[in-house]
Amino acid sequence: LSGSSAVNNLTIDNGATVSIGAGNTFTINGSLSGTGTLSGSSTSNLITGASTTVYFTSGSNTLKNLTVNGGTLTLGNALNITAGAAANTFGTVTVASGATLASAGNLTLKSGLYGTARVAANTSAAAYITGEVTVERYIPQNIKRAWRMLSVPTKGTQTINAGWQEGQAA
């Protein structure tokens, strides 16, 4: 897509790809069907408004902003939300009240030199994101040697060796 676009219902056939151009927003107001994929970039945005499952192209599975305005959006495979390329910019996942994002363990929030991806506050008392979400924190290497307060998972079965040492032997 060479510009921001909106559709009501969309079918992406198996093997087909819809590319959201850099800096563009793609809005899907209705259903999304088929097993084709969406491709994005660190400046692309996606807005959905109905219950659907979305698949992303491997290697182009990045968005700056994801907005779920209604229904349940299920991630069919990996999606990265990234910070912007300028100071104090944020990639944001926004889930409207009454909507749900079912991550299925496929959502990663990434930070970079200029900012951190985040989840916008929700006013609903109900859970609005289900499934695991991975957060990757950028730690600059050449700014200052200092203590960094980091944490390990506190729930689940992941060990320190698996989480911090990626399963490597001593």
Side-chain angles (χ1 to χ4, degrees), residues 2 14 18 24 37 41 48-49 51 75-76 82 86 99 101-102 117 129-130 133 169:
S2 59
N14 185 29
V18 174
N24 295 327
T37 61
S41 72
T48 64
S51 293
L75 298 179
T82 63
L101 173 60
I129 297 179
T130 62
V133 176

Side-chain angles (χ1 to χ4, degrees), residues 22-164:
N24 295 327
T25 298
F26 186 42
T27 303
I28 305 170
N29 292 312
S31 66
L32 173 63
S33 59
T35 57
T37 61
L38 292 174
S39 291
S41 72
S42 60
T43 60
S44 301
N45 307 299
L46 176 64
I47 301 171
T48 64
S51 293
T52 194
T53 299
V54 64
Y55 299 91
F56 291 91
T57 307
S58 179
S60 296
N61 56 334
T62 299
L63 295 172
K64 181 178 180 191
N65 297 303
L66 172 65
T67 303
V68 183
N69 282 332
T72 299
L73 176 67
T74 302
L75 298 179
N77 61 352
L79 172 63
N80 300 310
I81 302 295
T82 63
N88 298 316
T89 57
F90 307 96
T92 304
V93 174
T94 304
V95 182
S97 184
T100 303
L101 173 60
S103 73
N106 289 318
L107 179 61
T108 301
L109 303 175
K110 295 181 174 261
S111 66
L113 180 61
Y114 298 108
T116 299
R118 63 186 177 166
V119 175
N122 186 296
T123 58
S124 172
Y128 56 97
I129 297 179
T130 62
E132 294 181 1
V133 176
T134 300
V135 178
E136 293 182 2
R137 184 70 179 128
Y138 176 81
I139 300 172
Q141 66 177 351
N142 58 355
I143 292 178
K144 179 181 175 186
R145 289 183 69 122
W147 276 96
R148 309 278 192 225
M149 184 56 106
L150 302 173
S151 176
V152 296
T154 58
K155 183 177 181 183
T157 59
Q158 187 178 42
T159 66
I160 291 173
N161 179 261
W164 285 85

